[in-house]
Every structure is written in structure tokens, then in C-alpha cells.
Amino acid sequence: MSDFSFISAFVVGLAGSLHCVGMCGGIAGALRAAVPGGQPPLAYIFSYNLGRITSYAIAGAVTGVLGQVARASVSHGLMIFQLLSAAMLIAMGLYLAQWWRGLARLEKLGNGLWQRIRPWSKRFIPFKSPLSAFPYGFIWGWLPCGLVYSTLTWALVSGDGLYGAVTMAAFGLGTFPALIAVSLGAGWLLKLLQHPKTKSLVAICLIIYAVFLIYRTLNGNN
């Protein structure tokens, strides 16, 4: 887990939060409408995002275990998974900048599961307490998302359920600040994150980092 570290996952989540704002910004904003009148929304927003991050951690744990099994069965499994993760990072960069939307096809793969579990979220709104926002966020954490799928390949590389869970939790924490700010009505941040120049800059940084990881992997410095 040297290259595919927890800090890296956090930074990717932070950088990719502009994608999260684009996909989930409306959801985060709608949270305020589900909060009982007269109550401060912050506790509900935190609870929702904690549920969302928990779902990421569970997905990371499952993927980490699958990676452990696969690495034991596939020759050069670690190198293959590392290259796959770097390739997905490049795809994510291209997707963020809207230079190539191949990840949109990947997102469609999760639609079947999502359509089955999405109706359950309606049972928790309007919120009765901050605690009821947690399961709501947990369900919405399974919303098909290319950024999440890309980061799950890092959990695959870890080859360990615990490392996979912590990696995805770190990623989720990286997405946390932007979604909190948007939920609290920081419209200026939404405009900044969705500006084409911001997206292009973040995309270039992600692609450069992915190329560096490929170089390190192919030269055996893992």
C-alpha cells in the first residue's frame, strides 16, 4: 500500500469531490428540506455523510477480500491490479474534464442494484432525528459513481479487507468537505468546483499522478 496509500485516497476524494458535487450536490442540498423545521441542519448533514462513507468502507472491505483471493490465483496479480488502478485514475481524470466519458458506461453497471435499493431511502424522510439521516446516506452511498468505482480498484490492490475498508473511508473523507459546504449553501464553492478550468486542472493532476504510478509499477519500485 505504498503508492495506493490512504493519504492518496483522501487526496483523490478531495480532488474528485467536484464530480461528487455534480452528481450528489442536488441530493446534499435537498437534505435541508428533509430536516425538521427550526432545527440546525449540520447534525443531519454529518449523519448523512457518515452513512455514505460507511457504505464506501463496506464496499472497500468486500473488494479488498476479493483482491486477496484474486492475487493468490493470478500470476503477477499485484502488478496487474496496480496498473488497472492507475488506468482507472487516468479514466477518472478524463471523465472529470469531460474529455472522455467512458466511465459513464461503467456507472451504468450499478444501475440494476441501485434501482432495487433506492426506494428504501424514502422510508427515512422527512428525518425524525439526525440518526435517521444515517441510513438514508448509507443507501445513497451505493449510487452508481465512476469515481467510487475507480477508487475501489485501490481497495482491490490492497488485497486485504481491512485495508480496503480504510482506503475507501479515507476516500470518502476526502469528498466530505465539499459536500458539507454545498449542503450548507456555499454556492460560491459549487461554482468554483464546476468551473471548466478547475476541472481541467484537477484532471491533469490526476493523470500525471497515474502516469507516475505506472512508471513506479513497471520499474518494480512498489
Side-chain angles (χ1 to χ4, degrees):
M1 290 294 294
S2 56
D3 292 333
F4 303 92
S5 65
F6 309 134
I7 295 177
S8 296
F10 176 85
V11 171
V12 168
L14 192 63
S17 60
L18 59 89
H19 175 66
C20 295
V21 167
M23 285 193 66
C24 307
I27 301 169
L31 285 175
R32 301 187 69 174
V35 175
Q39 295 194 25
L42 191 59
Y44 293 86
I45 294 170
F46 267 90
S47 182
Y48 165 82
N49 281 282
L50 183 59
R52 181 177 59 86
I53 294 172
T54 299
S55 69
Y56 295 163
I58 291 175
V62 173
T63 306
V65 171
L66 292 176
Q68 183 178 20
V69 174
R71 280 170 56 175
S73 307
V74 179
S75 179
H76 303 294
L78 177 60
M79 177 180 289
I80 292 173
F81 291 156
Q82 287 180 330
L83 292 175
L84 172 63
S85 294
M88 289 293 287
L89 197 57
I90 292 174
M92 190 65 238
L94 296 174
Y95 186 36
L96 288 177
Q98 298 184 354
W99 296 331
W100 180 68
R101 296 188 56 82
L103 280 185
R105 300 176 184 176
L106 183 61
E107 289 178 347
K108 293 180 180 180
L109 295 178
N111 278 338
L113 173 63
W114 174 239
Q115 293 304 322
R116 289 176 179 272
I117 66 175
R118 179 180 179 179
W120 287 81
S121 66
K122 298 179 181 179
R123 299 187 176 192
F124 302 100
I125 52 175
F127 301 136
K128 296 180 180 179
S129 69
L131 186 61
S132 62
F134 179 90
Y136 184 78
F138 181 86
I139 292 172
W140 277 90
W142 299 97
L143 175 72
C145 174
L147 179 61
V148 174
Y149 296 161
S150 297
T151 314
L152 277 174
T153 61
W154 292 33
L156 190 71
V157 169
S158 73
D160 181 273
L162 179 59
Y163 275 78
V166 176
T167 297
M168 288 304 296
F171 159 78
L173 288 173
T175 67
F176 198 55
L179 287 178
I180 287 288
V182 171
S183 297
L184 292 176
W188 63 269
L189 180 62
L190 180 61
K191 291 181 180 179
L192 175 63
L193 292 176
Q194 293 188 334
H195 194 283
K197 290 184 178 179
T198 303
K199 291 182 177 182
S200 297
L201 177 61
V202 171
I204 291 171
C205 290
L206 290 178
I207 292 170
I208 290 174
Y209 183 55
V211 171
F212 168 72
L213 293 180
I214 292 173
Y215 172 80
R216 287 286 302 274
T217 298
L218 294 179
N219 283 273
N221 297 318
N222 302 308

